[in-house]
C-alpha cells in the first residue's frame, strides 16, 4: 500500500531513546538523560519576568515570527556572543528549535548521501543520528583528555573524497566530559586552516565551567580562528535556561545562514515565538549571570559527589574522566567488557546509565559508559554509583 | 572552500517571505500573511491558566519531553480528535513543531527525489516549499468551489509512476478559501479508495466555520474513510490558540508515526514543552469552546467587511470565492493579467496581498491573488480593498 523513502528506511532508532523509556520507572536511579534537574529551572524568576512585559510583547509571543528568529532575541544573542569574542561581521545568526535543529540544518545544507562527515569518537548521539539520517559516511577521530588525536585528525582530513563537514564539541564534551586544552585547540585550528573544511562547532555546555580559572578555556574556536575557514557555531538555551523552551542558535557565514534559513522555513516556519520572548526577556532582565553562577556551583557539587563515590566504589580496572564542567563522566572499562551486559545487571539492581555504543557513530565500540550527574537527586548519587560499580565488578 | 548539498542548491525562497519583508512597513494595509490579528490572542486567559498550574508541571515545561510529545497533551488531543470522529485505533499521534513540521515529516518519510506528489492547485505555499525541498515531482489538480476536479484527480492518481503522496486541504483552503462539498468529498474518497494512495489531509482551519450549519462539512476525510487507505491527518494550534506556540499534531497509522518520530528525533528532539504545557492546560481548562466561538464570530465579521468592500470596489472582470470559514478570499483575474504587476501598483498605493504564483507548485500561473481578512484592522479593510481594486482597474 505504501513504501517508505530510502532515507527513512535507513534510519536507526537512538539507543538513548529506548533507554529513557526503561528509565521512566521512578524507583530506578538515573544517570542517563543529559537534562538538568527540574528543581534547578528558573520557574518563578521567569514567571515574574513574563508578568512585567507589556501586553503588545506578550501578543507577539503568540504570533509567527521571521524564520530567522524573533528580532529582539537575535539582537540580545548577538550582544552576548560578541562579548564572548565571537565575530559578527560577515556572519549571521539564526534561532533554531534547539541545537539539534542547528546540527540538522548544517548537515542538510552540506551533506548529500555518501558524503564524508568527520566527528570525534565518542560523539554526541543526536549529531550521530542526524548524520546517519542524511546517509553520511562517518569517519571518527579518537579524543583523549586534551582533545582530538592530532595525527588521526590530520589523516581524516586528508582522506579522499574530502569530507564535507567536521563536527567538534570542544567544551565539556558529551559524552566524554573533557574540554580541549589550549594547545590542542590551537593544533586543531592549524590543521583545519590547512584543509579549509567547514567546521560545525557545537557548544551547549561552555558556560558550565566549575572554576572561574577555566573560563579562558571555553573561548570558541570560531572566536580564535577568525575567517581562515568557514565555522558554523551552534549554541543553546537548553543547559542555561531549560531544554523545554527548545531554543538554540547558529552563528555562521551569512551565505550559509541564508541556506539554513531556507531549509528551516519548510521544516517548521519558525521556532516558538513564545519561548523566544521568554528567553529574550530573561537575558534583558540581567538575571542570567547570577543564574549561571548558581548552576555552575550546583553542577560542580553534583560532579564532586559522583567523583567521590566513584573513587570509593569503582574497581581499579576502569578509568574515568575528571570533568571541569558540563554534565558527564565518561567511564572506560577493560577492552573485553561489554557495557550492555553491565547495564542489564545495573538496571536489575536499580540504576541506569547510557552504554558507550550509543555514542559510536559506527555503532560498534561498547567498552565505555556515560554517567550524567546533572539531574540525579544528590542524596541518591552515591547509592546509584555503588550499583553500577557492583555490576562492573560482577562482570570483570 | 565549500559546496552546498544538492537538496539545498535546488531550493527556492518563498514568495510570501519576500513579501512579508516589504509589508513590514506599518503604513501599508496588509492582506498578506495568514496570521491572526494580535488582539485576538488569549493572552490574559493563558496567563491566568498558567498561574494556576502546580510548580511540578511548570518545571516539566522547562524540561525535555518525549519526541512524540508531552504525554498529557497527547491525551487531551486524542480526546478532542475522538470527539471530532477521528479513529484512534491502529493510529498514533505525534506533536509537531507546527503543521509545517507535520507536512515535512510525512514528506520525508515517503518522498525520495523524483517521486511524484499530487496536490491541489492552488496549494498551501508551505507544503509546496516542502515538496520542492525534497525534490518531489509535482502534479496539481485544479479545484473549484466544491473541491478537486474529479476527472483531473482520477487522471493524476492513474499516472505512472504512481504518486507516493496526495496532499489535500479540504476545509477553508489556503489560499482558495473553499470547503469541499459533501458530495465532492465522497467522490474524492471513492477515488482514493480505488488507488490506495497515502493521503496527507491538512486541517488547520476546520474549526473556523462561520455558521453552525456548516460544521458537518468539516468532518475530516480520515473520520469518514476509515482504514480503506492510509491517511495522515495534520492539525494545528496556530489558528485556534496562536502560531507562536509552534504546535501541530499528526494522527496517522502507527507504523507511519513510528517513522515520523524517528525523523523528528534528529530534527529537533521534541517540540517546545513549555508551549505544550500551555496548550494542554488551555484545553483542560474548558476555555477552548468559548474561545473558538469568539474567533468564529470575529472572522465572520472581518470576512463580511471585506466581501462588502469587494462588491463595492472590485471591477466586474474579476471573480472571487465566498468563504464559509477560515482566513482567505481567492480572487481570479482575467487570464492575461499578471498579479505581480497589480501588486507593484497596489504596494505603491499602500496595500499588500499575495500573488497567485506563490501558490502554484509549478510557479507559473499568476492571474490570481490571495486576500487574508484575518489580521487586518477592521477599519482599514475597505480602504485597502479599494487600493487593490484600483490597481486591478488600472491594469485591466
Amino acid at each position: 500500500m505504501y513504501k517508505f523513502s530510502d532515507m527513512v528506511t535507513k534510519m536507526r532508532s537512538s539507543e538513548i531513546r529506548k533507554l529513557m523509556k526503561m528509565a521512566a520507572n521512578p524507583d530506578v536511579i538515573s544517570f542517563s538523560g543529559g537534562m538538568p534537574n527540574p528543581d534547578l529551572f528558573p520557574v518563578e524568576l521567569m514567571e515574574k519576568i513574563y508578568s512585567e512585559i507589556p501586553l503588545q510583547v506578550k501578543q507577539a509571543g503568540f504570533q509567527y515570527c521571521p524564520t530567522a528568529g524573533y528580532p529582539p532575541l537575535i539582537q540580545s544573542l548577538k550582544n552576548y556572543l560578541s562579548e564572548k569574542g565571537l565575530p559578527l561581521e560577515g556572519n549571521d545568526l539564526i534561532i533554531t528549535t534547539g541545537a539539534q535543529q542547528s546540527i540538522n540544518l548544517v548537515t542538510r545544507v552540506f551533506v548529500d548521501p555518501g558524503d564524508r562527515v568527520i566527528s570525534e569518537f565518542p560523539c554526541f548521539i543526536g549529531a550521530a543520528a542526524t548524520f546517519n539520517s542524511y546517509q553520511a559516511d562517518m569517519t571518527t577521530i579518537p579524543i583523549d583528555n586534551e582533545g582530538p588525536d592530532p595525527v588521526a585528525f590530520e589523516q581524516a582530513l586528508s582522506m579522499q573524497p574530502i569530507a564535507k563537514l567536521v563536527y567538534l564539541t570542544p567544551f565539556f564534551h558529551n559524552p566524554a566530559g573533557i574540554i580541549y586544552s589550549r594547545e590542542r585547540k590551537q593544533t586543531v585550528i592549524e590543521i583545519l586552516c590547512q584543509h579549509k573544511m567547514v567546521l560545525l562547532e557545537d557548544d551547549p555546555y561552555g558556560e558550565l565551567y566549575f572554576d572561574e580559572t577555566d573560563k579562558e578555556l571555553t573561548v570558541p574556536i570560531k572566536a580564535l580562528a577568525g575567517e581562515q575557514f568557514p565555522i558554523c557555531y551552534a549554541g543553546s538555551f537548553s543547559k542555561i535556561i531549560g531544554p523545554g523552551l527548545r531554543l538554540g542558535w547558529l552563528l555562521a557565514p551569512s551565505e550559509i545562514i541564508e541556506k539554513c534559513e531556507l531549509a528551516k522555513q519548510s521544516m517548521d516556519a519558525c521556532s516558538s515565538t513564545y519561548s523566544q520572548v521568554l528567553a529574550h526577556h530573561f537575558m534583558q532582565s540581567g538575571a542570567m549571570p547570577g543564574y549561571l553562577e548558581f548552576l555552575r556551583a550546583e553542577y560542580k557539587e553534583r560532579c564532586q559527589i559522583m567523583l567521590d563515590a566513584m573513587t570509593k566504589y569503582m574497581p581499579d580496572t576502569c578509568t574515568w574522566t575528571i570533568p571541569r564542567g558540563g554534565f558527564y563522566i565518561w567511564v572506560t572499562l577493560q577492552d573485553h567488557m561489554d557495557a550492555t551486559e553491565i547495564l542489564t545487571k545495573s538496571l536489575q539492581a536499580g540504576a541506569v546509565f547510557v552504554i558507550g555504543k550509543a555514542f559510536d557513530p559506527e555503532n560498534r565500540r561498547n567498552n565505555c559508559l556515560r554517567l550524567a550527574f546533572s539531574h540525579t537527586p544528590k542524596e541518591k548519587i552515591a547509592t546509584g554509583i555503588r550499583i553500577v560499580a557492583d555490576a562492573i565488578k560482577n562482570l570483570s
Side-chain angles (χ1 to χ4, degrees), chain A residues 5-197:
Chain A
S5 66
D6 282 352
M7 287 235 170
V8 163
T9 308
K10 285 168 190 158
M11 278 183 195
R12 64 184 158 99
S13 181
S14 148
E15 301 271 351
I16 278 197
R17 187 159 138 254
K18 290 180 203 154
L19 290 168
M20 295 280 265
K21 283 183 182 172
M22 281 198 280
N25 178 352
D27 294 333
V28 170
I29 299 172
S30 172
F31 303 126
S32 57
M35 70 268 265
N37 188 290
D39 292 334
L40 303 181
F41 293 128
V43 173
E44 281 167 39
L45 185 55
M46 191 65 96
E47 204 168 349
K48 184 170 174 295
I49 289 167
Y50 184 79
S51 73
E52 286 166 4
I53 64 179
L55 176 65
Q56 230 182 333
V57 175
K58 288 179 182 169
Q59 287 176 336
F62 281 76
Q63 191 61 285
Y64 289 109
C65 73
T67 301
Y70 178 58
L73 179 60
I74 291 180
Q75 195 50 54
S76 304
L77 275 170
K78 281 186 175 171
N79 298 344
Y80 163 74
L81 294 175
S82 180
E83 277 169 32
K84 275 174 85 89
L86 286 153
L88 299 182
E89 218 189 296
N91 288 279
D92 268 321
L93 186 89
I94 188 173
I95 312 278
T96 57
T97 308
Q100 182 66 49
Q101 190 181 55
S102 299
I103 297 168
N104 196 299
L105 287 171
V106 173
T107 312
R108 181 150 175 75
V109 156
F110 287 111
V111 179
D112 285 307
D115 282 347
R116 185 188 314 280
V117 171
I118 296 171
S119 82
E120 298 142 324
F121 170 79
C123 174
F124 168 49
I125 195 165
T130 301
F131 303 142
N132 174 261
S133 81
Y134 287 104
Q135 301 174 51
D137 184 9
M138 297 303 301
T139 300
T140 61
I141 318 146
I143 52 176
D144 58 31
N145 275 320
E146 296 195 39
D149 179 87
V151 175
F153 193 51
E154 172 64 48
Q155 277 171 353
L157 270 74
S158 304
M159 278 172 80
Q160 294 292 333
I162 287 173
K164 294 291 285 290
L165 189 65
V166 178
Y167 172 74
L168 300 176
T169 54
F171 316 106
F172 313 125
H173 189 278
N174 175 8
I178 64 130
I179 185 164
Y180 289 12
S181 68
R182 195 185 300 104
E183 298 70 27
R184 191 68 63 82
K185 191 158 59 174
Q186 202 46 51
T187 307
V188 164
I189 292 173
E190 280 160 23
I191 295 173
L192 282 162
C193 273
Q194 279 167 30
H195 293 271
K196 308 277 184 212
M197 245 158 247

Side-chain angles (χ1 to χ4, degrees), chain A residues 166-313:
Chain A
V166 178
Y167 172 74
L168 300 176
T169 54
F171 316 106
F172 313 125
H173 189 278
N174 175 8
I178 64 130
I179 185 164
Y180 289 12
S181 68
R182 195 185 300 104
E183 298 70 27
R184 191 68 63 82
K185 191 158 59 174
Q186 202 46 51
T187 307
V188 164
I189 292 173
E190 280 160 23
I191 295 173
L192 282 162
C193 273
Q194 279 167 30
H195 293 271
K196 308 277 184 212
M197 245 158 247
V198 180
L199 170 66
L200 171 52
E201 181 179 25
D202 190 12
D203 183 14
Y205 301 99
E207 287 286 7
L208 302 177
Y209 46 85
F210 296 157
D211 290 296
E212 200 60 30
T213 48
D214 282 342
K215 187 179 174 181
E216 56 156 335
L217 289 179
T218 67
V219 178
I221 292 178
K222 189 168 176 75
L224 298 170
E227 293 168 45
Q228 302 180 80
F229 53 94
I231 307 177
C232 305
Y233 173 82
S236 169
F237 283 113
S238 289
K239 273 71 190 183
I240 58 178
I241 299 182
L245 298 186
R246 289 284 73 215
L247 291 180
W249 56 85
L250 185 72
L251 180 75
S254 304
E255 191 197 32
I256 296 175
I257 292 294
E258 199 183 307
K259 294 289 183 189
C260 288
E261 195 181 334
L262 205 53
K264 179 174 168 61
Q265 208 185 341
S266 65
M267 277 187 189
D268 61 11
C270 61
S271 299
S272 167
T273 323
Y274 201 102
S275 292
Q276 292 186 65
V277 165
L278 292 175
H280 168 64
H281 286 274
F282 191 76
M283 292 184 95
Q284 277 293 99
S285 73
M288 208 156 92
Y291 180 63
L292 285 175
E293 264 182 53
F294 159 74
L295 285 184
R296 285 174 197 130
E298 271 290 333
Y299 291 128
K300 182 179 179 177
E301 187 192 352
R302 282 158 199 271
C303 180
Q304 197 53 55
I305 295 172
M306 188 174 277
L307 286 170
D308 290 347
M310 291 179 77
T311 308
K312 193 166 170 192
Y313 299 118

